[in-house]
Amino acid sequence: MSDIIAYKKDGVIIDTQSYDASRDAGASEILYDNSKDALEVIRHSCAHLMAEAITALYPGAKFFVGPAIEDGFYYDFRVTKENGEKLGENDLETIEKKMKELVDAKLDITKTCSTKAEVLAKFKNDDLKQEVLKRIPEGEVSIYSQGNFEDICRGPHVPNTKFLRFFKLTRVAGAYLGGDENREMLTRIYGTAYADKASLLEHIRIIEEAKKRDHRKLGNEMKLFTFDDEIGAGLPIWLPNGARMRSKIEKILFGVHRRRGYEPVRGPEILKADAWKISGHYTNYKENMYFTNIDEQEYGIKPMNCVGHIKVYQSELRSYRDLPLKFFEYGVVHRHEKSGVMHGLFRVREFTQDDAHIFCMPSQIKENVLEILSFVDNIMKNFGFEYEMEISTRPDKAIGDENVWEVATNALKEALDENGFKYGIDEGGGAFYGPKIDIKITDALKRKWQCGTVQVDFNLPERFELGYIDENNEKQRPVMLHRAILGSFERFIGILIEHTAGELPFFIAPTQVVVVPISESHEKYAKEIQTKLRNLEIDSEIYSKNESLNKRIRTAEKARVPMILVIGDSEVENKTVALRDRRARTQSQLGLDEFLDLTQQKLKEVNF
């Protein structure tokens, strides 16, 4: 039988040090395995194990916080090595070795409780502990100890370090104290842990595979996008290859939107601050926005497209016969992201949403939510993604009456329940103006990514006094549905690159065909092929540099081009092509018309 490492009662995990059989009667056991609850305890304990190892190796180290996170743990701390250098990736192996020694020592992990005042006095010379204590309310404060290490912590922890055998430190990063970019940069080490070796090795394999698939690395190799410090952090520059791929996705989605009854609109990228005050962004989202002054009037650069779409709605009188009204826009937005969290295309300061807003009657909420989910399903299947849904409810920082929130949240739940959709609940995770359904996709490495969203909003229509005339010639308030499927083109493309390892499907590949003429005498036919492909809206390039044939073919393969045509005397004479199909891993000889038909079949393999 597996060891008991903790208990759970009323949704709260209680470690063995805190468990009281009489007080906690009815609590369920948490066994030493890879269940979600067990991993939370194991990983949080492993963070303390790492901190103890760092303390042993670098006695002057001071520690801030070390929580368990979704796929592992981290600790933020301050440390300087004897030579004055900061810790780096090369130091992880040394820290791991010391951690293994502490595991073998089978150290008990103990909990003691004191008043906050006593703990403040105990750690009066440790400024980072003082920072932690500022975040703890008055009352009892617990400290966990093992060997020569102790830290302020509410737990839970495993009872002994012997349960922490299967871990791996994954990377070193910087982290601002308390997430405040105006404060000190601490060192952060990430790691993960499991209850068995096989699961750990599989996780390490996925990490290594993820490094190979890193969209920043592949984006550079495939010449899709770049960043430039002279331009600014978090502002992607799309190169011709990336812009071609992106425009293909935009074109496909534009057509699908039109067929589903959406009307294209476009709002300005900068609006008077007064509009953002009405919407609530000024109060609830200001820290994420950029502002400027024009003619002594404050303006805000839009972080979202909703206000512009509201103004489109207000441009004329609306009747119930007009509803639902569906407006969509590839809207460029700007959000202030802290420098420490930006990451390739995943977190940027400028991005483009595949945004839409549906204005409808309350009685039309369900049918429109279901239409959106049908749209989501169609898009995700065509891109090869599995996905799941989660309803996010009212956050602490929100606008609008709680009863209105409850009505909106129930409308989402009913739409999903009545159609048998499975979903989770993210309590407090809604937007400040309404509850939402979050679409989370799963990639080839089984990682989950937040992309699309569907939000029900009664609040903005109220704030902007939107209306429509009902069948009784009376003014009524519409409901506003906010909707994005990809989320943003930038983030979705980054995910797609990693999902496919750069082997993008033919219909959106930036260069779909490379033509390689063996010699200069074959270039005329190569250009003829390129012209025919262009007329069919197939992107191609001719590789005619003064390099060996094999090198040019290798260059095309490195660029992950789906189809490579080699053109020599026989092909010119017979109007054929020697095709290397990278995806199918085949080589064949085809007539030119036959090949052109094949490209059209490839485009039709997906049906949006």
Side-chain angles (χ1 to χ4, degrees):
M1 181 177 175
S2 296
D3 291 290
I4 298 170
I5 59 170
Y7 298 86
K8 190 172 187 178
K9 183 179 181 182
D10 299 328
V12 177
I13 297 177
I14 308 165
D15 57 29
T16 56
Q17 298 91 309
S18 308
Y19 177 72
D20 184 309
S22 58
R23 182 195 62 206
D24 300 317
S28 58
E29 298 173 347
I30 297 177
L31 302 179
Y32 181 62
D33 56 25
N34 288 317
S35 65
K36 182 180 178 181
D37 290 337
L39 287 180
E40 181 180 338
V41 180
I42 292 167
R43 288 167 175 172
H44 184 43
S45 303
C46 217
H48 278 232
L49 177 71
M50 177 180 72
E52 183 182 5
I54 292 169
T55 300
L57 293 167
Y58 312 101
K62 293 184 182 297
F63 296 85
F64 183 48
V65 292
I69 54 178
E70 184 175 356
D71 59 353
F73 61 86
Y74 70 78
Y75 229 119
D76 290 346
F77 57 98
R78 181 193 299 132
V79 68
T80 303
K81 297 196 291 187
E82 288 184 3
N83 59 8
E85 294 180 358
K86 292 185 176 182
L87 287 186
E89 303 288 338
N90 294 334
D91 297 301
L92 297 185
E93 186 176 344
T94 302
I95 298 170
E96 284 183 346
K97 184 178 178 182
K98 176 58 69 174
M99 290 171 70
K100 289 173 182 175
E101 291 176 8
L102 298 171
V103 170
D104 291 339
K106 299 181 179 179
L107 303 171
D108 285 333
I109 299 174
T110 59
K111 177 183 178 180
T112 56
C113 294
S114 305
T115 66
K116 185 175 180 179
E118 289 171 335
V119 178
L120 278 165
K122 178 180 178 69
F123 294 108
K124 64 182 180 180
N125 297 320
D126 190 326
D127 63 308
L128 292 186
K129 293 286 194 299
Q130 296 293 316
E131 285 288 340
V132 172
L133 285 163
K134 287 178 185 177
R135 293 159 168 79
I136 297 176
E138 295 298 327
E140 188 176 79
V141 177
S142 56
I143 295 173
Y144 281 82
S145 307
Q146 59 194 62
N148 296 318
F149 177 77
E150 62 179 2
D151 204 358
I152 302 163
C153 182
R154 63 185 177 188
H157 287 280
V158 296
N160 189 286
T161 60
K162 70 180 182 179
F163 293 104
L164 307 176
R165 293 172 55 203
F166 307 110
F167 62 83
K168 178 69 179 176
L169 303 186
T170 53
R171 63 188 176 98
V172 180
Y176 291 111
L177 177 59
D180 184 346
E181 60 185 349
N182 296 313
R183 303 198 66 182
E184 173 189 1
M185 176 75 80
L186 301 176
T187 298
R188 173 178 291 182
I189 293 182
Y190 287 93
T192 193
Y194 287 88
D196 65 89
K197 187 175 183 179
S199 297
L200 177 65
L201 292 176
E202 175 61 13
H203 184 86
I204 293 170
R205 183 194 71 78
I206 289 174
I207 289 174
E208 293 305 312
E209 182 62 25
K211 288 178 182 177
K212 296 175 187 175
R213 293 170 177 250
D214 191 315
H215 74 282
R216 295 167 297 179
K217 170 179 172 288
L218 296 181
N220 181 59
E221 289 178 5
M222 298 169 70
K223 298 180 179 178
L224 300 176
F225 59 87
T226 188
F227 292 89
D228 191 313
D229 288 339
E230 289 186 5
I231 297 297
L235 302 172
I237 300 166
W238 290 91
L239 305 177
N241 280 353
R244 285 203 300 269
M245 173 187 61
R246 176 176 171 152
S247 68
K248 290 171 185 176
I249 298 175
E250 290 176 353
K251 182 178 179 181
I252 289 167
L253 291 183
F254 188 95
V256 183
H257 277 92
R258 297 296 289 123
R259 291 193 292 275
R260 286 180 172 261
Y262 289 81
E263 293 289 345
V265 298
R266 183 167 179 80
E269 292 186 26
I270 183 168
L271 290 73
K272 285 184 177 180
D274 291 345
W276 300 117
K277 290 175 182 177
I278 296 171
S279 70
H281 288 83
Y282 200 89
T283 301
N284 296 281
Y285 207 73
K286 187 177 181 180
E287 68 273 14
N288 301 108
M289 295 177 63
Y290 298 106
F291 288 88
T292 188
N293 282 282
I294 303 172
D295 297 333
E296 300 182 358
Q297 170 71 54
E298 188 178 27
Y299 283 74
I301 300 174
K302 69 175 180 179
M304 302 172 187
N305 303 292
C306 41
V307 176
H309 292 195
I310 285 171
K311 291 302 174 181
V312 174
Y313 183 89
Q314 288 180 320
S315 65
E316 59 182 275
L317 188 66
R318 305 295 181 180
S319 162
Y320 74 96
R321 294 186 180 90
D322 301 324
L323 304 183
L325 275 173
K326 302 178 179 181
F327 300 141
F328 81 102
E329 174 182 3
Y330 298 152
V332 177
V333 299
H334 293 79
R335 297 181 186 176
H336 176 60
E337 296 283 4
K338 294 178 180 178
S339 57
V341 302
M342 287 186 292
H343 180 81
L345 295 179
F346 292 158
R347 292 289 289 271
V348 289
R349 288 175 173 160
E350 178 191 273
F351 56 93
T352 304
Q353 293 180 306
D354 63 320
D355 210 0
H357 293 91
I358 300 171
F359 298 86
C360 64
M361 294 183 288
S363 61
Q364 296 172 320
I365 291 175
K366 192 182 302 180
E367 65 189 74
N368 281 281
V369 168
L370 292 175
E371 189 278 329
I372 293 168
L373 296 180
S374 168
F375 199 167
V376 168
D377 189 65
N378 176 262
I379 297 296
M380 294 309 164
K381 283 181 177 177
N382 273 294
F383 282 107
F385 286 113
E386 295 180 355
Y387 66 93
E388 58 189 42
M389 292 179 284
E390 191 172 71
I391 291 181
S392 299
T393 63
R394 191 177 196 270
D396 292 333
K397 199 172 184 180
I399 61 175
D401 186 87
E402 288 191 26
N403 291 331
V404 172
W405 272 82
E406 186 175 356
V407 170
T409 304
N410 287 337
L412 290 177
K413 289 180 178 178
E414 287 171 11
L416 296 181
D417 289 339
E418 290 183 18
N419 288 271
F421 290 113
K422 294 182 179 179
Y423 60 91
I425 299 289
D426 177 14
E427 295 291 353
F432 71 86
Y433 47 77
K436 58 179 179 172
I437 299 173
D438 287 327
I439 312 299
K440 297 187 176 183
I441 63 179
T442 303
D443 70 9
L445 297 182
K446 305 302 180 186
R447 298 173 299 182
K448 297 185 188 304
W449 303 90
Q450 163 66 51
C451 282
T453 184
V454 185
Q455 302 170 4
V456 180
D457 184 2
F458 290 89
N459 287 305
L460 290 185
E462 186 72 28
R463 283 175 167 249
F464 283 93
E465 299 182 353
L466 302 188
Y468 66 90
I469 304 302
D470 69 10
E471 60 269 33
N472 298 317
N473 207 34
E474 295 179 355
K475 186 176 180 180
Q476 301 294 340
R477 192 78 73 205
V479 179
M480 187 176 180
L481 304 181
H482 305 249
R483 186 240 70 187
I485 294 178
L486 303 186
S488 79
F489 284 96
E490 285 75 9
R491 180 174 170 79
F492 185 79
I493 287 171
I495 295 168
L496 189 62
I497 291 169
E498 297 198 2
H499 177 62
T500 62
E503 303 285 351
L504 296 163
F506 184 84
F507 72 99
I508 59 164
T511 301
Q512 291 148 312
V513 179
V514 158
V515 186
V516 185
I518 293 175
S519 68
E520 190 174 342
S521 63
H522 309 125
E523 288 185 22
K524 182 179 178 181
Y525 181 45
K527 290 177 181 178
E528 179 186 336
I529 295 171
Q530 186 178 47
T531 298
K532 289 181 180 294
L533 288 169
R534 185 178 295 123
N535 291 337
L536 295 172
E537 298 187 342
I538 302 292
D539 283 309
S540 65
E541 293 183 33
I542 297 174
Y543 281 18
S544 57
K545 285 185 178 180
N546 187 23
E547 297 173 340
S548 70
L549 176 65
N550 285 337
K551 184 175 182 180
R552 284 180 284 159
I553 291 173
R554 283 198 304 272
T555 300
E557 289 179 338
K558 187 176 181 180
R560 295 165 177 80
V561 177
M563 293 185 176
I564 302 170
L565 305 182
V566 180
I567 305 301
D569 289 339
S570 175
E571 286 75 28
V572 171
E573 181 179 349
N574 298 304
K575 292 294 181 182
T576 59
V577 295
L579 169 64
R580 294 172 178 239
D581 190 322
R582 180 177 169 82
R583 303 291 186 267
R585 308 291 184 191
T586 59
Q587 297 185 36
S588 55
Q589 197 78 21
L590 300 174
L592 178 55
D593 289 340
E594 188 181 1
F595 169 70
L596 296 176
D597 287 342
L598 176 62
T599 63
Q600 296 308 289
Q601 292 171 23
K602 288 286 184 183
L603 290 179
K604 293 176 182 176
E605 284 179 348
V606 291
N607 181 18
F608 288 89

